[in-house]
Amino acid sequence: MEPIQCLTGKAAVMDRSNVDTDQIIPKQFLKRIERTGFGEFLFYDWRYDEKGNERADFELNKPESKGANILIAGDNFGCGSSREHAPWSLYDYGFQAVIAPSFADIFKNNCLKNGMLPIALSSEDVSRLMKAAEEPGHQLTVDLPNQTVTDNKGFQASFDIHPYWKEMLVNGWDEISITLQYDEQIRQHEQKDQVVSSY
Amino acid sequence: MGKSIIEKIWDRHIVYKEDSKPDLLYIDLHYIHEVTSPQAFEGLRLKGRSVRRPDKTFATMDHNVPTINRYLIHDEVARTQLEALKKNCDEFSISLADLDSPDQGIVHVIGPELGLTKPGMTIVCGDSHTSTHGAFGAIAFGIGTSEVEHVLATQTLWQTKPKTLKLEINGSLGRGVTAKDVILYIISKYGVNFGTGYIIEYCGDVIRNMSMEERMTVCNMSIEGGARAGLVAPDETTYSYLLGRKYSPKGDDFEKAVTDWSSLVSDDDAEYDHCLEIDGSDISPMVSWGTNPGMCSPVDSSIPTAGEVKTEDSKKSLRSALQYMGLEEGMKITDIPVQHVFIGSCTNSRLEDLRQAADVVKGQKVSTGVRALVVPGSQRVKLAAEEEGLDKIFTEAGFEWRESGCSMCLSMNPDVVPPGEHCASTSNRNFEGRQGTGARTHLVSPSMAAAAALFGKFVDIRQINAAGIADEAVK
Ligand code: SF4
């Protein structure tokens, strides 16, 4: 995983609640056995019409959303299926962070494991950012070490992230290698566990 | 202060604890299937890692499998995924219930059926409906593929302890009201994210009086309310279900296990972060009319109007859902036409579900213009149903009787609902495109789905008399 410090760039706005992972990456694209190359299928059914042409009214197809690296979305983003293909496709498309009032639990974890930041801000802050992002020349900055979101128009907010995840992301560590250092504790638990549930 | 079952199980599984970290939690059982595991095995291979406990890992094939002739897989990519799972299980010595196995079926149906799922366990699977296994008094939750890789390599996960929610359902259920209606009612009442950040303990008389299969239906859809996990404390119903299953403890070990399992039940003075209480008699047979499981209403009511919903956001969601569904505000639920019926999925594809549906269709005929499918959850369910003659009841009524798998729950296999058509489905998700691009899904119980097949529209199951004939009012 690449270490993350500061992200600066353009935001795309998706003002919808309860965007589910079936929409983020429809099931017909889950059959690949690689982690990469999912970006072209992101939001497929919303993004393209039956003939495979871009739908002009879909948020990400608007000219002002092209090239965005931060997505601002509504409540409960990423609900539904646990498919990690959802953050893979968002990341592959070019998003490095999603800002929303709330996230579904599994989706949030899946983002963190892939170096993509799920940032929860208050509904008011998210609405303000959605408006601000419509202004030409708008730029957002997400500062992970300082846990802040700022823009070039004077917006400022801070966000929460568990210190464990922050450390992991800032350093770009591989979680499994860290856990393997606890081998002794795992072994001890397995011995104790044999007594408790050896049935 | 006493402890809830959630805390008791959690605390038992902590391998390592430190203030600035989530808990390192031991995982007792790891289910895997073909769709969310290939990248995890690839990850292991790239780093030269092995599977720490293949004996605590169990695999099956379910999402992609065709349900007519399971060996005729036209889809190249689906076949690649099934082959990859077989190869990975061989290479890492993991038990696999493949297409030839009598144990094969939907992962959340076979785990309990084989007695693999047991009280007090921590159980994970790269699948959000892992919450199903909570019915046995286990902490069971869905994970992503990176976490699958982490569990394969370490048999643990770093997890922040979730908050606890006690959801008490008291009183009793009316005639025709099932476990599916209970959970749909809960989600429509409290919303699709009321459970985010929580593990739910379902309790109260209604839950106590439910069979294991009904408890599984309720726990299954915890995730549709935002909760990663939902559970029911084990009791006599749990133990008698487990007795004699393939992987259940045997003889004295079973007795010892029951003593241990019984100690996990929540203490009387256990505290929860949040409590909710509902009355079973308030629940009616439910039908979803929108594009998330919270958008559902009692069968004898109407689709809400924009005037009836409170926030701007919900008005917007209502309008866009109805546009997708091709329905109108204020329309009566019983006026919604149905062209497809799907009885199956990890929510409602067990023997009791099929019996319920068969009771309704016995001696009747599927309405002209309706295509109706029954897809048993597992090979064992299929066999057991055939022994009782349920397959005959269905096929004589005009239903198709299929091989086990996920099928039209997410339509990754060839079972698809065409664009614009309505499907009464016993599955768990009515998201846009879930059953096929443009498909319009309505979530219902097995008996409601069966009734919809007979009438080509939704009917109130309570108005169907014992002979399966609808009252005059229904026609
Ligand atoms: S039946 Fe549906 S919800 Fe259940 S595991 Fe299969 S695809 Fe997922």
Side-chain angles (χ1 to χ4, degrees):
Chain A
M1 206 162 68
E2 295 296 316
I4 313 174
Q5 301 277 335
C6 264
L7 308 172
T8 295
K10 214 162 91 168
V13 174
M14 191 170 231
D15 188 7
R16 314 187 189 209
S17 310
N18 305 315
V19 170
D20 58 77
T21 54
D22 271 77
Q23 306 317 318
I24 298 176
I25 180 86
K27 40 120 191 298
Q28 60 268 38
F29 308 112
L30 301 184
K31 289 176 187 161
R32 300 162 58 87
I33 55 174
E34 300 84 24
R35 272 176 210 253
T36 50
F38 287 98
E40 53 179 307
F41 311 121
L42 176 73
F43 290 117
Y44 194 87
D45 292 343
W46 285 352
R47 215 164 121 199
Y48 301 106
D49 63 19
E50 299 74 29
K51 299 200 185 79
N53 299 317
E54 282 197 358
R55 295 180 199 267
D57 58 347
F58 177 60
E59 290 92 324
L60 299 188
N61 291 340
K62 294 184 179 153
E64 61 270 27
S65 302
K66 298 277 178 182
N69 64 339
I70 299 169
L71 179 66
I72 312 177
D75 221 10
N76 198 28
F77 189 81
C79 59
S81 151
S82 65
R83 57 188 75 162
E84 198 160 314
H85 313 68
W88 292 338
S89 59
L90 285 161
Y91 192 79
D92 199 55
Y93 181 86
F95 290 116
Q96 297 169 290
V98 185
I99 300 177
S102 68
F103 295 90
D105 287 334
I106 305 179
F107 177 80
K108 190 165 101 184
N109 276 340
N110 285 342
C111 286
L112 293 167
K113 307 269 173 181
N114 288 280
M116 192 168 68
L117 292 174
I119 297 170
L121 297 181
S122 70
S123 306
E124 293 73 39
D125 280 341
V126 171
S127 304
R128 277 173 61 202
L129 272 186
M130 283 185 175
K131 279 215 181 66
E134 283 167 10
E135 304 285 319
H138 182 256
Q139 275 230 324
L140 260 184
T141 299
V142 176
D143 180 333
L144 178 59
N146 290 307
Q147 297 179 221
T148 58
V149 177
T150 51
D151 72 0
N152 56 352
K153 307 271 155 131
F155 177 90
Q156 187 162 22
S158 55
F159 62 90
D160 282 337
I161 181 167
H162 196 290
Y164 170 83
W165 284 114
K166 182 168 159 181
E167 195 182 11
M168 206 65 81
L169 290 162
V170 167
N171 295 297
W173 282 338
D174 166 34
E175 199 189 11
I176 297 179
S177 356
I178 304 227
T179 311
L180 289 172
Q181 295 168 13
Y182 293 84
D183 190 56
E184 188 46 38
Q185 284 91 340
I186 301 173
R187 223 181 273 280
Q188 276 171 18
H189 180 91
E190 282 175 331
Q191 258 146 31
K192 179 179 82 187
D193 185 51
Q194 278 180 5
V195 185
V196 181
S197 58
S198 62
Y199 313 113
Chain B
M1 187 187 88
K3 277 179 163 186
S4 70
I5 177 170
I6 301 167
E7 289 170 286
K8 290 186 194 182
I9 300 175
W10 190 275
D11 291 350
R12 249 186 199 201
H13 289 84
I14 297 175
V15 167
Y16 180 78
K17 198 176 176 60
E18 187 185 310
D19 274 351
S20 62
K21 288 188 163 65
D23 295 338
L24 186 61
L25 202 68
Y26 195 79
I27 302 303
D28 292 326
L29 181 58
H30 185 192
Y31 292 118
I32 55 182
H33 64 71
E34 75 272 22
V35 178
T36 54
S37 65
Q39 293 89 350
F41 284 107
E42 204 42 43
L44 290 184
R45 254 183 230 113
L46 283 172
K47 300 258 165 134
R49 288 172 175 147
S50 57
V51 175
R52 183 183 177 92
R53 295 296 298 264
D55 59 323
K56 290 181 183 281
T57 314
F58 192 92
T60 187
M61 300 173 164
D62 52 7
H63 283 65
N64 273 330
V65 303
T67 54
I68 298 178
N69 179 347
R70 43 187 26 212
Y71 299 105
L72 212 64
I73 307 174
H74 295 297
D75 183 343
E76 193 70 35
V77 209
R79 186 151 9 101
T80 314
Q81 246 176 13
L82 294 171
E83 282 164 5
L85 182 64
K86 173 105 182 72
K87 176 171 162 278
N88 289 329
C89 289
D90 284 349
E91 182 179 336
F92 293 97
S93 309
I94 294 166
S95 303
L96 166 69
D98 65 8
L99 296 182
D100 295 324
S101 166
D103 294 343
Q104 183 273 343
I106 305 172
V107 61
H108 311 307
V109 175
I110 65 164
E113 180 175 83
L114 293 171
L116 285 162
T117 295
K118 288 183 265 287
M121 281 185 154
T122 46
I123 303 174
V124 296
C125 174
D127 195 287
S128 58
H129 292 99
T130 308
S131 58
T132 313
H133 307 266
F136 290 79
I139 292 185
F141 54 92
I143 56 178
T145 299
S146 297
E147 290 173 309
V148 169
E149 185 179 338
H150 193 277
V151 176
L152 288 172
T154 69
Q155 206 58 35
T156 63
L157 279 175
W158 294 96
Q159 292 286 307
T160 314
K161 192 172 182 173
K163 290 178 285 179
T164 55
L165 195 165
K166 181 181 187 185
L167 208 167
E168 212 169 330
I169 308 152
N170 286 316
S172 56
L173 299 178
R175 192 173 70 86
V177 179
T178 67
K180 180 65 162 287
D181 304 303
V182 171
I183 190 66
L184 286 176
Y185 173 84
I186 291 170
I187 299 164
S188 68
K189 186 175 165 86
Y190 299 115
V192 288
N193 56 357
F194 81 96
T196 306
Y198 289 97
I199 294 184
I200 303 174
E201 179 180 356
Y202 298 98
C203 55
D205 303 336
V206 168
I207 297 289
R208 278 295 133 230
N209 291 330
M210 280 184 181
S211 67
M212 285 319 293
E213 303 201 350
E214 292 173 303
R215 293 177 189 179
M216 284 189 249
T217 300
V218 172
C219 290
N220 173 272
M221 289 189 70
S222 304
I223 184 70
E224 267 64 61
R228 279 178 93 182
L231 58 72
V232 175
D235 58 10
E236 281 313 317
T237 307
T238 321
Y239 309 142
S240 47
Y241 177 98
L242 283 171
L243 187 67
R245 305 248 160 202
K246 186 168 176 184
Y247 295 99
S248 288
K250 305 278 165 346
D252 282 355
D253 283 345
F254 191 82
E255 293 311 312
K256 271 196 270 171
V258 168
T259 312
D260 180 43
W261 296 338
S262 310
S263 72
L264 293 170
V265 172
S266 297
D267 299 329
D268 290 337
D269 56 346
E271 281 189 22
Y272 296 80
D273 294 301
H274 195 56
C275 295
L276 295 169
E277 199 181 330
I278 57 179
D279 188 335
S281 60
D282 290 343
I283 308 175
S284 306
M286 303 290 284
V287 179
S288 80
W289 42 261
T291 51
N292 74 46
M295 294 173 162
C296 56
S297 301
V299 61
D300 55 353
S301 70
S302 302
I303 298 173
T305 60
E308 286 162 8
V309 296
K310 287 186 205 93
T311 63
E312 267 317 303
D313 198 38
S314 35
K315 283 191 210 308
K316 206 172 117 190
S317 308
L318 174 79
R319 289 200 184 100
S320 84
L322 292 181
Q323 194 191 5
Y324 178 85
M325 296 296 289
L327 299 171
E328 302 289 332
E329 292 178 23
M331 182 176 174
K332 274 169 68 185
I333 299 286
T334 46
D335 286 341
I336 301 174
V338 170
Q339 295 91 21
H340 300 263
V341 171
F342 169 61
I343 297 176
S345 90
C346 57
T347 314
N348 283 127
S349 64
R350 300 179 179 85
L351 193 56
E352 286 178 17
D353 301 311
L354 305 190
R355 282 185 188 145
Q356 241 182 54
D359 268 355
V360 177
V361 307
K362 192 166 190 169
Q364 308 291 319
K365 286 275 179 249
V366 167
S367 171
T368 24
V370 174
R371 167 200 182 214
L373 239 67
V374 185
V375 184
S378 70
Q379 287 299 299
R380 275 169 208 267
V381 170
K382 180 169 183 269
L383 265 183
E386 286 170 355
E387 268 164 30
E388 290 182 16
L390 301 186
D391 58 324
K392 293 272 164 350
I393 296 179
F394 285 117
T395 49
E396 277 163 17
F399 277 81
E400 297 174 42
W401 178 252
R402 298 288 187 87
E403 299 279 345
S404 56
C406 292
S407 177
M408 219 193 252
C409 171
L410 95 164
S411 302
M412 270 186 86
N413 76 346
D415 306 335
V416 177
V417 176
E421 302 200 352
H422 294 263
C423 179
S425 178
T426 65
S427 56
N428 42 52
R429 285 187 177 138
N430 50 347
F431 296 148
E432 288 182 28
R434 175 85 178 177
Q435 294 189 296
T437 305
R440 294 163 170 167
T441 304
H442 300 275
L443 305 175
V444 285
S445 72
S447 47
M448 283 286 289
L454 305 183
F455 292 92
K457 65 185 188 105
F458 289 107
V459 291
D460 190 337
I461 191 72
R462 294 169 298 188
Q463 293 185 348
I464 294 187
N465 67 30
I469 315 293
D471 292 352
E472 275 316 299
V474 180
K475 299 180 178 170

